[in-house]
Amino acid sequence: MACVDTCSAFRLPFESALSSSDTPQIQRRPPASLAADWPADMLPLLQRLYAARGVTDAAQAQPKLAQLHAPELMGSMQAAVELLATAIADNERILVVGDFDCDGATACAVGVRGLRMLGARDVVHAVPNRMLHGYGLSPSLVADLAPSQPGLLVTVDHGIACHAGVAAAKALGWKVLVTDHHLPGEQLPPADALVDPNIDGDAFPSKALAGVGVIFYVLMALRRHLREQGAFATIREPDLLTLLDLVAVGTVADLVALDANNRALVSAGLRRLRSGQGCVGLQALIEASGRDPARLSATDIGFALGPRLNAAGRLEDMALGIELLLTEDRSQAREIAQTLEQINAERRAVQQLMTDDAELAVSRAVLGAEGERPIAACLFDAEWHPGVVGLVASKMKDRLHRPVIAFAPSEPGSDSLRGSARSIPGFHIRDALALVNAAHPGLIDKFGGHAMAAGLSLPHARLDDFQQAFVAVVGASMDPASLQQQLMSDGELSAEELDYRHAEALRLAGPWGQAFPEPLFDGHFQVARWQVLKEKHLKLSLRVPGRAEPLNAIHFSGWKGNAPANHVHIAYRLVSDDYRGGGAIQLIIEHCADA
């Protein structure tokens, strides 16, 4: 691959730049008051963890579906429901348009399945091809969809920023319903109805719904409307809860905040998957990933299921992933799941090559110079794949602990670049792009996203201008305190808590994820033995006072060429050791330093 062209951010001195030798600081969460109504059988450790995450009562610790916010609180919900109910009554064709990531694929599947359950006879779906159409509902996608002649087009997980695409659909005489969760711009697209909890003034209490959560809420409101109209007087009312396996996967994979509302949705979906009640496509994907469905966790969704679904949209066509989620044929599901497994392996290989290039460029341009890290970084390579730049940006964001944007040509030889941005806690990356756009009108073709992740496109010829503008915005608005990476620890575990019972309780609790982090602990241990695995992983046998048997621990990519000290201070996660079985546990080390 070609040498990476790094941005001028790597060459600009900033007082807030930090030395490459800086290491993460372990900071313990402050003690929190425990709720008075915890269940008698809840472990004290879980009570402490929930309290540290702001949970003030037992009902919020493990929220139930009965506690979900009402769909009617979401703005324009009634208008959306009336559009859908009319389309169903008039037997109009409903076209559900998804997106090419996991949230968009699951949202599309939920929309198609749910509308059919609620009586729609003519429901079709489509998804943009990343290389042909770009993101969302574009005019080119609308043009390609014109022969389908829908009466109503429904976007899921996109649309709030697709002004031109919505206008193109309206020009063809179609009604358009936008369902989205992304942050809107100053103007809204000309849709017949827009359902997005993040529209200014929307009264829905949870702003953290994923795209799949929004369409699920629309379906719940539609079912209530149909019920009130007597649609289920002589037939059994559809059970929309059967869609929660898909809602859980899309919500976790999209890294939205797991507030109480989202945790209720994800927990219910996980229960379906663990009991073998998930759709056949997800069951096949779990099988292909080598996970035990009965022990599935939110972490498995994030690291096993989500990436395999996303791989289709990154390197191929997400239509394949949506086909997996819609099929009822188990043999077909297994075949598609194996294809996704192969695509994901290819994705990992491409990602590794691109990340290696980025690592080399960073080492030469940043850490090899004056030993300082930039306040922000932009990376570009003419041979990079646009579907994988988000993963590269994420890796380099972790490497530098700085906001990073990775760019690639929109398609081979194109003069248009597609960028994917990732940020660090405390810096809103989508708002930063909005500031660049406001200060330099016309510099960015289009952009959108969240606090931690965003996407954009711009002409290749304007890359240098964008780099300078972006770095200036980061420099002016970044809180210097955010530049110091911190590992938030839940404190020490006693010898009695370092056992299989507590490891299993942690796995089943939560669900853990964005804004409701998986528990991380820290403590001092004596190193009894150590060895290097695959020339990069460090395996340790650790002793702790009060425990007779040493603890197995592993630090992935933790081998730095030097033997560990006799006594170490580590930040770690406590997990069940499924490989060894028999009630074994293991510490997954996130950070290790001499004690």
Side-chain angles (χ1 to χ4, degrees):
M1 301 183 75
C3 180
V4 178
D5 175 20
T6 56
C7 78
S8 57
F10 287 129
R11 298 186 293 274
L12 293 177
F14 287 90
E15 294 181 1
S16 52
L18 297 178
S19 167
S20 62
S21 63
D22 287 343
T23 58
Q25 294 180 348
I26 298 176
Q27 181 175 339
R28 291 186 175 177
R29 301 183 192 277
S33 300
L34 300 181
D37 60 341
W38 294 114
D41 60 347
M42 180 178 285
L43 290 173
L45 174 60
L46 290 184
Q47 297 180 27
R48 174 162 64 91
L49 294 173
Y50 283 130
R53 284 152 182 75
V55 174
T56 57
D57 62 80
Q60 293 299 309
Q62 297 174 335
K64 308 299 183 185
L65 292 175
Q67 299 168 237
L68 289 177
H69 301 307
E72 292 73 24
L73 295 174
M74 210 174 299
S76 299
M77 185 63 82
Q78 186 59 36
V81 164
E82 290 175 358
L83 279 173
L84 290 166
T86 299
I88 292 173
D90 294 344
N91 201 27
E92 290 183 324
R93 170 166 290 179
I94 302 175
L95 171 60
V96 179
V97 181
D99 190 23
F100 42 63
D101 67 357
C102 187
D103 186 18
T106 53
C108 186
V110 165
V112 171
R113 285 180 174 272
L115 288 171
R116 289 172 178 169
M117 291 167 65
L118 292 171
R121 297 184 183 90
D122 189 1
V123 183
V124 295
H125 69 277
V127 62
N129 183 293
R130 187 188 296 266
M131 300 297 291
L132 295 177
H133 307 111
Y135 166 78
L137 186 69
S138 62
S140 63
L141 176 60
V142 171
D144 285 349
L145 296 175
S148 66
Q149 297 183 323
L152 173 63
L153 183 150
V154 181
T155 71
V156 290
D157 189 37
H158 71 282
I160 203 68
C162 300
H163 298 76
V166 172
K170 294 289 294 177
L172 293 175
W174 305 346
K175 294 184 289 293
V176 178
L177 165 60
V178 167
T179 74
D180 201 351
H181 70 122
H182 294 93
L183 298 172
E186 294 182 1
Q187 294 183 335
L188 298 177
D192 294 273
L194 301 104
V195 181
D196 185 333
N198 286 299
I199 292 176
D200 288 345
D202 193 283
F204 192 74
S206 172
K207 306 302 181 184
L209 281 178
V212 68
V214 174
I215 187 61
F216 180 73
Y217 260 83
V218 170
L219 293 172
M220 288 197 295
L222 175 59
R223 182 179 63 177
R224 178 174 178 176
H225 174 83
L226 295 175
R227 181 193 305 135
E228 293 171 348
Q229 298 298 312
F232 310 123
T234 59
I235 61 174
R236 185 175 181 178
E237 183 170 303
D239 182 8
L240 295 179
L241 299 186
T242 59
L243 302 172
L244 285 175
D245 55 335
L246 293 164
V247 175
V249 170
T251 299
V252 172
D254 210 47
L255 299 178
V256 293
L258 292 188
D259 59 8
N261 202 76
N262 276 339
R263 294 204 312 280
L265 293 171
V266 173
S267 294
L270 278 170
R271 287 194 294 271
R272 293 192 63 81
L273 290 168
R274 289 168 182 161
S275 63
Q277 295 180 303
C279 69
V280 296
L282 287 180
Q283 291 184 48
L285 202 62
I286 293 169
E287 179 183 329
S289 68
R291 274 12 185 219
D292 179 0
R295 296 174 56 79
L296 201 74
S297 68
T299 301
D300 292 317
I301 291 176
F303 286 93
L305 305 189
R308 283 165 170 79
L309 274 174
N310 272 328
R314 293 187 187 281
L315 296 186
E316 301 285 341
D317 186 347
M318 184 49 92
L320 185 65
I322 296 173
E323 184 180 0
L324 173 72
L325 302 179
L326 290 176
T327 185
E328 299 293 345
D329 186 314
R330 290 189 179 275
S331 61
Q332 182 188 28
R334 289 193 178 98
E335 182 179 341
I336 296 175
Q338 286 302 319
T339 300
L340 291 179
E341 185 74 13
Q342 296 168 7
I343 296 173
N344 191 50
E346 181 184 353
R347 185 274 304 169
R348 285 197 298 263
V350 172
Q351 176 188 343
Q352 188 61 55
L353 286 173
M354 291 167 59
T355 303
D356 287 347
D357 276 353
E359 287 273 6
L360 181 60
V362 167
S363 297
R364 288 176 174 173
V366 185
L367 305 182
E370 299 177 1
E372 292 185 342
R373 282 177 282 174
I375 199 169
C378 295
L379 300 170
F380 166 74
D381 189 305
E383 296 182 23
W384 279 357
H385 193 293
V388 188
V389 287
L391 300 174
V392 173
S394 182
K395 288 283 187 181
M396 300 315 299
K397 177 264 299 182
D398 293 339
R399 169 85 158 85
L400 294 169
H401 191 69
R402 297 291 190 273
V404 173
I405 306 179
F407 288 94
S410 299
E411 56 186 64
S414 172
D415 290 332
S416 176
L417 300 184
R418 191 168 301 152
S420 192
R422 296 294 183 269
S423 193
I424 59 177
F427 187 78
H428 199 299
I429 193 68
R430 190 266 177 194
D431 284 357
L433 294 179
L435 290 173
V436 172
N437 188 58
H440 304 273
L443 177 58
I444 303 175
D445 288 338
K446 56 184 177 180
F447 69 96
H450 308 286
M452 302 298 288
L456 70 157
S457 61
L458 51 81
H460 188 182
R462 303 300 305 276
L463 179 58
D464 286 343
D465 296 335
F466 170 80
Q467 292 165 352
Q468 295 178 23
F470 175 66
V471 170
V473 164
V474 177
S477 54
M478 173 71 76
D479 179 358
S482 299
L483 297 174
Q484 174 58 58
Q485 186 175 5
Q486 294 182 338
L487 292 174
M488 297 301 296
S489 168
D490 290 290
E492 294 187 73
L493 290 179
S494 67
E496 293 75 20
E497 291 172 327
L498 289 164
D499 64 8
Y500 185 76
R501 179 190 179 201
H502 285 82
E504 282 293 278
L506 292 174
R507 182 179 64 83
L508 295 172
W512 315 111
Q514 194 75 14
F516 204 77
E518 184 176 3
L520 183 74
F521 309 99
D522 76 283
H524 291 79
F525 297 86
Q526 179 185 2
V527 178
R529 294 185 302 277
W530 63 275
Q531 66 180 113
V532 179
L533 303 179
K534 297 183 178 180
E535 300 182 349
K536 61 179 181 178
H537 309 310
L538 188 61
K539 184 176 182 180
L540 302 173
S541 180
L542 304 174
R543 295 193 180 277
V544 60
R547 180 184 169 93
E549 294 295 322
L551 290 160
N552 287 312
I554 187 161
H555 191 185
F556 292 109
S557 300
W559 173 242
K560 306 302 181 185
N562 298 314
N566 291 330
H567 292 83
V568 292
H569 182 206
I570 65 171
Y572 64 91
R573 292 183 287 113
L574 172 65
V575 301
S576 309
D577 192 340
D578 296 335
Y579 180 78
R580 295 176 63 208
I585 63 171
Q586 184 173 226
L587 307 186
I588 306 296
I589 299 175
E590 300 291 343
H591 177 65
C592 181
D594 295 350

